[in-house]
Amino acid sequence: CSYRYPTFLQRVVAPKDRSKMSSLTLAASKGGGGGGGKSAKRSAAPKAATAIKTSTAAALTSPSDEDDVLANQTTPSLPKLLSALALGVRAANGLPSPKDSDYQDDGDDDLAFLMAFPEFAAKCHEGRAELSVLLSDILSSVKGSISAANDNDDGDCADDTASPEEDGDYGFESPLLWEKAAEACEYLLEEVDAFIQDVRDGSSNVAGSSSSSSSAIISASLESAAAKARQKSKGGYSLMMSGIVDMDKPQITYDFAKDISNARTEPFVPPVHPDKPYGVVPLENTLRPMPGHGIESRNGDFGANSAPGSGDGTVSKIPDDIVAPDVHYPHQYEQEIRTLQYRDWQLAVETEERLGEHGVGGTLNRSTGAGSSVPTEKGLWIDTEKDLERLVRRINNPAENIREIAVDLEAHSHRTFGGITCLMQLSLRRKSGGSSLAGGSSSTIETASDFLIDAIALRKVMNHHLAAIFANPDIVKVMHGADSDIPWLQRDFGIYVVNLFDTGRAARALPHFSSAGLAYLLGRYAGVEADKKHQLSDWRQRPLPDEMAAYATSDTVYLLDIYDRIKLDLKSHSDPRVSIISVLDDSKKVCLIRYDKEPFRPSGYKSIISSKRNKRKRSSSLDPKNERVLRALYDWRDTMARELDESLHYVCPNTALVRIATMCPRTVGALQGLVNPCPPLVVRYSDEVLRVMKTASAEPNSQNAGAIAAHSVLSPKRPIASSPEKISQLRASASPFAFFRPAEESDNGGAAQGGTGNGRDLPPRPSERQNPGIMSPVAGTDVL
């Protein structure tokens, strides 16, 4: 140890005794060096160990006590010191080196490190082999076409002596494989271009080209298809990876984590405006808890547990085993919504002459048909309370005469349990004659028409400034598919919507519409083709990329002109049941949706077993022991997600949960090696997971799922760490793609000894795990 780690021993040995370290170095060199082969080294090992032990004791003892120590060879701290040193050396030696990998010359240190693990390397080689076979098969299928094209272009005879690679037997590392793949893609796209050109030229060999109008339609559709293919081939993988943002959770950064309560038995208290603007029923009469969990009434007139858009008002049965609060708070504006009287001006429609081809605001382009791209202009960004106040003053200004606003929301659900609203898009009417879309960079709050409100930065003041606008019955809120937006506004800002026109409901009411989606309405009325590639993007990131900002703006920039046009279609429809009033009545039902926490159902684990995805991999039933384990893990996952404000999928996906319950690992190493990649929180709380499984396995007669849910299998609630600690922990576990080297199967897992009992919101130290054999890089460094 002295020979390999002299600096470390200089730190643990007192300064006055450092002169004696030469004896340790001499003992180590005598024990490990010299000749004599393996047998000589084996015989020298015990002597070296004795010499090191004796010399270390002497180094740690004063000169006056040296003889006694050499005689007794007993020092209370000596065994612990030697044990710690041995464990540290073992952990350090267990770390792979990029030099052990075949990829150290690729310039990618991370890949070289991971490829040093045999299991990881084997999986990579297996995947490469499968990909090379797949690519070779694809290239072989288009080889004849490419060869024929080359022969026609060059006029030369092909060489009959082809190499094995040229015959299609490509290796994954062969540059020729990727060269041929790029050539095949380019050839196929050129074929599309050639066909388009033939259609334009009216070539006789193109079917359906006799008519110039049909040729134009075919040409336009093929051009759109070719553009999509090129776009997807360019950025499909990078687009997927760009959606995963490694960042601090905004709940911590913007200090609103303490305002989020996900507890199972605590009711949701609406953060309603203290003055309840435009209220008919006083706030003290509505902000009172009512008995019962209220799950059956949270969807209002749509019925319980059913999608608001699919129900007919029938109430479905509430499961008996749900765990939910004993009380709930009613909808704060229910009476105001039910008694709303529609204004005469909102029932009136614009004439066809006034609407024209482009609408009052000039955003529509009905003559071109679908196919145009969405404009790239983005709305005016608002992230300060001062700017938000200016926007509110403009909306409330009587001189502006603002009667309708278009609203949409973007939310995030992966790194939070209940979800958080990240962005609010708000558009105002353009004056007749049509200003440019979005307004451009020179617009101000007083002149712009489209706005992007940072709902994360302004979360704490949104209610104060916007609650009155959304509750104002003299302002129509035009939204599309507001079934989710309505409860999001209540949950995050205490905002309730009164007087809504849902264009999605209007599209459903018109029987000749083939779809009720916003993309269909954009194509039908605005002549643009919506690109939904950012629908699942991470809207928490700041600054928001320009492309995402433009995408968000496009959701509301056309909505008011579509609102005018769809009202005209409703007014002119022959069926008396299809009318503007019927759509407004349906929109009322959407406004009556009441947000409430998602209850926990202990028997919900059965739906995981019976899911189609798991049926393809294993039987739809588990043996009693594994089923008890799955039920306990299902409870543990829900409790962890609520406490840490993470989604269930982030804590542990369903497939991983079933796999762990099926295999029932007994050690930390076996658990972490069972799922690849192992979820970060499963890694951090491995001992706790093992303890949960052990407890569930030892209770064969425990069938009371409700008792398990009410009294969680977890240890008592962890204290909430300070913000800096939380941020540090979140950074450490932010990536879901972290790889850990699991411990050996022979190691004694911490689960056999029960929980860690450290009571902290931090991963237990290896000494507390009672698993000295763990070989992850983090544990190795910690031990050393």
Side-chain angles (χ1 to χ4, degrees):
C1 294
S2 172
Y3 181 75
R4 299 189 62 177
Y5 304 101
T7 305
F8 175 75
L9 288 181
Q10 287 178 9
R11 294 172 59 186
V12 300
V13 177
K16 65 179 182 179
D17 298 323
R18 288 176 183 168
S19 61
K20 300 183 180 182
M21 290 184 62
S22 59
S23 60
L24 276 76
T25 306
L26 178 61
S29 62
K30 287 181 179 181
K38 295 183 178 179
S39 60
K41 291 184 178 180
R42 280 196 294 265
S43 63
K47 298 179 181 179
T50 303
I52 292 175
K53 187 174 181 181
T54 303
S55 302
T56 305
L60 294 174
T61 313
S62 62
S64 60
D65 298 333
E66 182 172 334
D67 295 338
D68 293 336
V69 171
L70 290 175
N72 298 325
Q73 296 188 359
T74 57
T75 301
S77 61
L78 183 58
K80 294 183 180 180
L81 174 62
L82 291 177
S83 176
L85 287 174
L87 184 57
V89 173
R90 178 188 173 190
N93 290 338
L95 292 176
S97 170
K99 296 180 180 179
D100 302 331
S101 171
D102 296 332
Y103 296 85
Q104 64 268 24
D105 298 329
D106 291 353
D108 190 343
D109 292 338
D110 292 338
L111 177 61
F113 174 77
L114 294 174
M115 290 299 291
F117 292 100
E119 300 86 354
F120 183 87
K123 290 291 184 182
C124 284
H125 290 310
E126 180 182 347
R128 289 180 175 222
E130 293 177 357
L131 284 176
S132 62
V133 172
L134 179 61
L135 284 174
S136 298
D137 291 343
I138 294 174
L139 295 180
S140 298
S141 66
V142 297
K143 177 181 177 183
S145 300
I146 298 176
S147 300
N150 292 336
D151 291 343
N152 292 334
D153 291 341
D154 300 336
D156 298 331
C157 295
D159 188 2
D160 294 335
T161 58
S163 66
E165 285 188 341
E166 291 170 345
D167 286 335
D169 187 13
Y170 303 106
F172 192 83
E173 302 294 342
S174 173
L176 187 61
L177 173 66
W178 304 106
E179 181 181 343
K180 292 293 184 181
E183 182 182 351
C185 290
E186 188 61 31
Y187 167 76
L188 294 174
L189 290 174
E190 286 176 357
E191 286 292 297
V192 175
D193 291 335
F195 187 81
I196 293 174
Q197 190 61 40
D198 289 342
V199 173
R200 285 177 171 172
D201 297 341
S203 176
S204 59
N205 62 345
V206 179
S209 62
S210 57
S211 171
S212 59
S213 60
S214 62
S215 298
I217 295 175
I218 295 175
S219 176
S221 61
L222 287 176
E223 279 183 330
S224 176
K228 281 185 177 180
R230 286 193 172 92
Q231 182 63 28
K232 288 183 178 180
S233 64
K234 284 180 181 179
Y237 178 76
S238 61
L239 186 63
M240 179 188 69
M241 295 304 296
S242 65
I244 303 174
V245 180
D246 184 7
M247 58 178 293
D248 294 337
K249 294 176 68 172
Q251 300 96 305
I252 305 299
T253 306
Y254 290 89
D255 193 28
F256 60 84
K258 61 180 179 297
D259 301 327
I260 299 176
S261 173
N262 300 316
R264 295 174 182 173
T265 57
E266 292 180 9
F268 169 74
V269 181
V272 65
H273 195 287
D275 297 333
K276 194 182 178 183
Y278 299 98
V280 175
V281 181
L283 181 62
E284 56 268 19
N285 294 341
T286 58
L287 200 59
R288 291 178 178 177
M290 300 180 65
H293 48 62
I295 303 299
E296 68 281 352
S297 63
R298 64 177 177 176
N299 285 333
D301 293 345
F302 290 116
N305 285 356
S306 60
S310 60
D312 58 357
T314 59
V315 179
S316 53
K317 185 178 183 299
I318 303 298
D320 296 330
D321 64 336
I322 64 169
V323 179
D326 296 331
V327 297
H328 72 280
Y329 288 83
H331 194 294
Q332 299 300 296
Y333 277 82
E334 179 177 359
Q335 188 65 23
E336 290 79 0
I337 294 172
R338 293 192 182 278
T339 58
L340 172 67
Q341 299 295 320
Y342 305 127
R343 277 46 179 170
D344 292 337
W345 51 264
Q346 73 178 112
L347 299 177
V349 297
E350 298 286 354
T351 63
E352 182 71 46
E353 293 75 15
R354 176 169 168 75
L355 292 179
E357 291 291 337
H358 305 292
V360 176
T363 63
L364 307 184
N365 195 13
R366 304 177 66 213
S367 59
T368 62
S372 303
S373 60
V374 175
T376 57
E377 290 288 344
K378 58 181 181 179
L380 191 64
W381 185 258
I382 294 181
D383 60 353
T384 66
E385 186 175 7
K386 181 179 179 181
D387 288 344
L388 184 61
E389 289 176 348
R390 290 171 58 191
L391 175 60
V392 171
R393 282 198 301 270
R394 178 184 172 186
I395 295 175
N396 291 329
N397 185 1
E400 292 280 349
N401 193 28
I402 295 178
R403 291 179 170 180
E404 303 98 353
I405 59 174
V407 181
D408 191 31
L409 302 176
E410 303 294 346
H412 176 81
S413 60
H414 183 58
R415 296 302 308 276
T416 173
F417 181 78
I420 54 174
T421 304
C422 303
L423 187 70
M424 175 185 287
Q425 305 100 287
L426 192 149
S427 291
L428 307 178
R429 277 200 178 276
R430 289 165 174 76
K431 302 301 181 182
S432 181
S435 59
S436 61
L437 292 184
S441 58
S442 61
S443 299
T444 64
I445 295 178
E446 287 72 27
T447 61
S449 300
D450 306 293
F451 304 90
L452 299 177
I453 302 175
D454 189 348
I456 294 178
L458 299 175
R459 180 184 176 100
K460 296 182 178 181
V461 298
M462 294 278 283
N463 175 276
H464 177 70
H465 296 289
L466 294 178
I469 292 177
F470 281 85
N472 187 350
D474 291 320
I475 298 179
V476 178
K477 276 63 69 173
V478 181
M479 306 174 74
H480 184 89
D483 303 24
S484 297
D485 298 335
I486 293 296
W488 290 350
L489 288 170
Q490 299 173 17
R491 175 195 66 199
D492 294 336
F493 316 119
I495 291 177
Y496 291 81
V497 178
V498 179
N499 202 349
L500 167 72
F501 187 95
D502 192 328
T503 54
R505 297 283 162 182
R508 287 190 182 96
L510 292 167
H512 61 285
F513 278 23
S514 60
S515 172
L518 180 59
Y520 174 78
L521 297 183
L522 288 174
R524 181 182 181 90
Y525 291 122
V528 298
E529 188 171 357
D531 185 0
K532 308 302 289 184
K533 64 182 178 181
H534 289 298
Q535 196 169 18
L536 299 178
S537 296
D538 192 345
W539 292 97
R540 303 173 303 159
Q541 53 185 308
R542 299 291 184 269
L544 197 67
D546 291 345
E547 187 179 6
M548 292 178 62
Y551 167 88
T553 306
S554 68
D555 283 344
T556 57
V557 69
Y558 307 96
L559 207 52
L560 291 176
D561 281 339
I562 290 176
Y563 162 72
D564 292 335
R565 176 59 64 175
I566 207 168
K567 280 174 60 180
L568 182 60
D569 287 346
L570 290 168
K571 185 78 171 180
S572 59
H573 200 274
S574 58
D575 190 343
R577 294 172 298 179
V578 178
S579 64
I580 298 175
I581 292 180
S582 66
V583 172
L584 288 171
D585 289 342
D586 283 344
S587 300
K588 269 187 179 183
K589 296 178 181 179
V590 177
C591 292
L592 289 172
I593 297 174
R594 173 178 55 83
Y595 172 77
D596 213 335
K597 296 179 184 178
E598 193 64 30
F600 176 66
R601 185 183 179 190
S603 60
Y605 73 94
K606 296 180 180 178
S607 63
I608 301 178
I609 304 175
S610 60
S611 66
K612 293 182 179 179
R613 187 172 183 180
N614 285 318
K615 277 184 177 179
R616 292 196 299 265
K617 298 182 179 180
R618 59 185 63 85
S619 172
S620 59
S621 61
L622 299 175
D623 61 63
K625 174 186 174 183
N626 295 122
E627 187 170 346
R628 291 196 306 271
V629 172
L630 179 60
R631 183 180 62 193
L633 289 176
Y634 183 78
D635 177 88
W636 171 85
R637 181 182 68 168
D638 181 84
T639 305
M640 288 293 294
R642 292 174 188 268
E643 286 188 7
L644 303 179
D645 195 26
E646 300 284 3
S647 67
L648 298 174
H649 186 271
Y650 180 81
V651 176
C652 189
N654 286 343
T655 52
L657 204 69
V658 174
R659 179 168 176 79
I660 293 172
T662 303
M663 303 303 294
C664 283
R666 301 181 61 183
T667 65
V668 171
L671 172 63
Q672 295 180 3
L674 194 60
V675 182
N676 192 4
C678 193
L681 293 180
V682 173
V683 172
R684 185 189 300 180
Y685 298 105
S686 294
D687 285 325
E688 195 165 315
V689 173
L690 293 174
R691 180 173 58 81
V692 169
M693 290 191 293
K694 180 183 178 183
T695 303
S697 300
E699 296 177 357
N701 296 322
S702 177
Q703 300 295 332
N704 190 353
I708 293 180
H711 306 284
S712 174
V713 294
L714 289 177
S715 55
K717 185 175 179 69
R718 302 168 184 79
I720 299 177
S722 62
S723 292
E725 289 180 355
K726 273 289 185 184
I727 292 176
S728 176
Q729 295 171 28
L730 292 166
R731 283 173 176 160
S733 64
S735 174
F737 301 104
F739 286 92
F740 292 84
R741 180 179 180 183
E744 299 295 334
E745 284 291 335
S746 59
D747 295 331
N748 294 324
Q753 310 298 332
T756 61
N758 55 10
R760 296 168 297 182
D761 192 15
L762 291 171
R765 297 177 63 86
S767 58
E768 296 168 340
R769 285 188 178 120
Q770 300 183 11
N771 180 21
I774 191 167
M775 294 302 291
S776 73
V778 176
T781 306
D782 192 15
V783 170
L784 184 59

